[in-house]
């Protein structure tokens, strides 16, 4: 495609370099910004230029933050002693959205996968162990995807924590809420049966 | 399971074609390269979610097209099924049964049991243990969804373990904990697969003997022998014992990926002592045993796909094979042949069979 303006061409190329965005979508977004009458382009530009300078990683949990300590780690309302381990910031945000977890998080920054060249040293496992010892953690919730690499990572962490007085839990796996049994796949259903949970007796 | 209708869109050399089947026997004739085998492969694909011949789904898409679709209407007793598998380039396959999406292949395989016999089988099955393990796997995944899951977990962890051993060597370090975690994850699937394979092969042998004798008219005794490092051994113990070896070779030396399946005739290796005719009879017997086994286990009649087999067999064997096909032990059978009319003649009569002639991915009769 030939562009009437080099500035436009540069912007299209920059937008198209983002994941999930093709040339056509990039052009549509770029033209929208050009033709927009408000200060959308300036706001976006300002936000983008501040991104790399101002965003940092929380020194405790490795979440994205504006300060050295993220808002969750700072919040006094958060329950002490409970840590939820997640793979990445998106998983953290998904759990935060449920508003049903009140402890703090620890972001691993990936999963162990030798095929992809990712070993334990590439993840935030050492800082996790430090935190557990320093912060007096009583319960560790493994909120890690139940994939093969997820299982390896959870199991590896549990091995590294052997001998500590700590309650280890993992998020429940099974039939989804509102789902019908007959449509659940066999692996999920068989896990749901073997990891069944107590049910309150009627009174 | 009976296939009533098959529609192929952009599948290999088929642009768009619809087959309607009325009978139990279906013959498909045509010259080489016209699409006979592709039609059988489409049926196999419906059943197994993958091609018998082509590794990557991408290569099943008709040249210059972006997707393919295999659409089938099937019947089992009173039950009717509408099964669609489509693949859009770069998006992977989608399986839909009666309009409901099936997320995992393991939950689909087994609905339509299938056995495929091709002339290449003799060569393939005699060439190596890996090919023979594939044959065993293709039998077991149709019976037991847990088998496919176990195999997938085992293979993925095996890859990770090998990658880790290589990384240890390249970067000169050792992490026993991580190696143990991955080895542990392989243990349960390994023992599960070993158990299922052992029981399959025990049940296979008497059936194999029966079919072999029927086709060959020979008096030889034939058998499959399964041998695994896990016979009487524990996977974890063996892995520990072979730790040093794995470290040096940077490969996992213990496990069900090393299982051997060997063919024997009169207690001697088949390959070294059998004639060409005996080899063919053996492989046919093996495939028919697979059929009988699937039928007994699933209580469904598998679809039998016979590709170009009459070209490779002598008259006597063809007749005995057809006499087997004629009896009611078999469900629907699809037969391809380059000689137009030959198979039809052998089967004698239009009333019991559908005959198709194919040219350039189109039905011409």
């Amino acid at each position: 495609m030939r562009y009437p303006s080099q500035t436009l061409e540069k912007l299209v190329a920059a937008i198209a370099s983002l994941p999930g965005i093709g040339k056509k979508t990039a052009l549509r977004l770029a033209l929208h910004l050009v033709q927009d009458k408000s200060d959308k382009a300036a706001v976006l530009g300002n936000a983008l230029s501040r991104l790399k300078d101002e965003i940092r990683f929380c020194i405790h949990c490795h979440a994205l933050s504006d300060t050295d300590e993220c808002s969750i780690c700072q919040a006094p309302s958060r329950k002490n002693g409970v840590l939820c381990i997640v793979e990445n910031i998106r998983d953290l945000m998904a759990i935060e959205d449920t508003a049903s977890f009140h402890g703090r998080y620890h972001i691993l920054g990936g999963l162990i996968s030798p095929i992809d060249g990712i070993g334990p040293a590439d993840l935030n496992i050492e800082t996790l162990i430090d935190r557990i010892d320093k912060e007096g953690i009583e319960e560790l919730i493994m909120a890690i995807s139940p994939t093969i690499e997820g299982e390896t990572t959870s199991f590896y962490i549990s091995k590294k924590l052997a001998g500590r007085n700590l309650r280890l839990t993992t998020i429940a796996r099974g039939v989804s809420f509102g789902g019908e049994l007959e449509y659940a796949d066999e692996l999920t259903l068989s896990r749901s049966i073997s990891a069944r949970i107590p049910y309150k007796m009627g009174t | 399971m009976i296939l009533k209708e098959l529609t192929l869109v952009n599948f290999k050399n088929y642009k768009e074609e619809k087959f309607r089947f009325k009978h139990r026997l279906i013959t498909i004739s045509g010259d080489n390269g016209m699409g006979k085998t592709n039609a059988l492969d489409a049926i196999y694909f419906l059943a197994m979610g993958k091609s018998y011949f082509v590794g990557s789904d991408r290569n099943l898409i008709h040249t210059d097209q972006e997707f393919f679709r295999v659409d089938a209407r099937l019947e089992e007793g009173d039950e009717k099924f509408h099964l669609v598998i489509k693949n859009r380039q770069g998006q992977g396959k989608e399986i839909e049964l009666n309009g409901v999406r099936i997320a995992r292949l393991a939950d689909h395989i087994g609905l339509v049991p299938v056995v495929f016999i091709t002339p290449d089988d003799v060569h393939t099955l005699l060439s190596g243990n890996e090919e023979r393990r594939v044959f065993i796997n293709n039998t077991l995944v149709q019976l037991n969804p847990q088998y496919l899951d176990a195999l997938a977990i085992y293979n993925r962890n095996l890859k990770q373990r090998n990658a880790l051993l290589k990384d240890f060597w390249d970067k000169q370090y050792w992490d026993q904990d991580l190696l143990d975690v991955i080895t542990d994850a392989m243990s349960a699937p390994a023992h599960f697969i070993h158990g299922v394979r052992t029981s399959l092969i025990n049940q296979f042998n008497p059936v194999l003997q029966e079919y072999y004798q029927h086709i060959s008219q020979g008096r030889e005794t034939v058998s499959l022998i399964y041998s695994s490092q896990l016979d009487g051994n524990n996977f974890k113990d063996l892995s520990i014992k072979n730790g040093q070896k794995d470290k040096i070779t940077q490969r996992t030396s213990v496990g069900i990926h090393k299982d051997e399946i060997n063919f024997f005739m009169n207690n001697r290796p088949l390959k070294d002592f059998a004639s060409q005719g005996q080899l063919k009879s053996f492989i046919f017997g093996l495939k028919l045993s697979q059929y009988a086994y699937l039928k007994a286990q699933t209580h469904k009649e598998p679809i039998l796909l016979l590709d170009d087999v009459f070209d490779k067999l002598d008259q006597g064997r063809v007749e005995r094979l057809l006499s087997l096909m004629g009896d009611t032990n078999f469900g629907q059978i699809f037969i391809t042949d380059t000689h137009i009319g030959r198979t039809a003649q052998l089967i004698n009569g239009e009333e019991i069979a559908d005959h198709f002639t194919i040219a350039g991915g189109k039905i011409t009769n």
Side-chain angles (χ1 to χ4, degrees), chain B residues 226-271:
Chain B
Y226 173 49
S227 49
S228 173
Q229 295 164 325
L230 267 60
D231 294 334
N233 291 309
N234 179 281
F235 176 76
K236 274 192 237 173
D237 295 345
L238 285 179
S239 297
I240 293 165
K241 248 185 240 164
N242 287 272
Q244 198 56 28
K245 188 175 169 193
D246 287 4
K247 183 179 177 174
I248 293 163
T249 58
Q250 305 158 53
R251 307 284 302 168
T252 301
S253 59
V254 170
I256 48 109
H257 60 290
K258 298 282 180 190
D259 280 4
E260 290 190 13
I261 294 127
N262 290 301
F263 300 151
F264 286 86
M265 195 176 72
N266 294 336
N267 297 319
R268 296 193 295 186
L270 178 81
K271 217 176 166 177

Side-chain angles (χ1 to χ4, degrees), chain A residues 142-172:
Chain A
M142 307 265 204
I144 295 174
S145 305
T147 58
I148 287 164
E149 286 72 32
E151 305 267 309
T152 299
T153 308
S154 299
F155 196 18
Y156 183 80
I157 292 172
S158 77
K159 243 182 186 320
K160 288 287 161 197
L161 296 174
R164 282 182 176 75
N165 185 20
L166 188 71
R167 198 161 96 95
L168 267 184
T169 55
T170 174
I171 50 168

Side-chain angles (χ1 to χ4, degrees), chain A residues 112-117 119-120 148-149 151-152 155-156 159-160 183 185-187 190, chain B residues 100 104 107 145-146 149 152-153 156-157 159-160 163-164 175 177-178 180-182 184:
Chain A
I112 298 173
S113 177
I115 296 172
D116 303 306
I148 287 164
E149 286 72 32
E151 305 267 309
T152 299
F155 196 18
Y156 183 80
K159 243 182 186 320
K160 288 287 161 197
Y183 294 122
D185 67 79
E186 277 194 44
L187 191 65
S190 89
Chain B
V100 178
R104 285 161 14 99
D107 295 325
Q146 286 172 342
D149 285 330
I153 293 171
R156 178 77 187 171
N157 278 307
K159 259 191 178 174
Q160 293 284 20
L164 186 64
D175 184 341
D177 280 343
L178 183 52
D180 287 348
V181 165
I182 297 176
D184 278 356

Side-chain angles (χ1 to χ4, degrees), chain B residues 23 36-37 61 69 104 106 108 111 121 140 161 198 204 211 215 235-236 247 251-252 292 316 320 333 358 364:
Chain B
H23 294 99
K36 301 182 303 291
T37 307
I61 305 177
R69 180 184 161 96
R104 285 161 14 99
H108 165 65
L111 174 77
D121 289 337
L140 290 168
R161 197 177 188 274
T198 306
F204 231 91
Y211 278 115
I215 300 165
F235 176 76
K236 274 192 237 173
K247 183 179 177 174
R251 307 284 302 168
T252 301
R320 289 193 287 277
I333 304 171
I358 301 285
T364 56

Side-chain angles (χ1 to χ4, degrees), chain B residues 13-14 30-38 308 338 358-362:
Chain B
N13 74 329
Y14 287 86
D31 289 334
N32 285 321
M34 290 295 123
K36 301 182 303 291
T37 307
N38 290 347
D308 219 4
T338 42
I358 301 285
K362 281 265 155 214

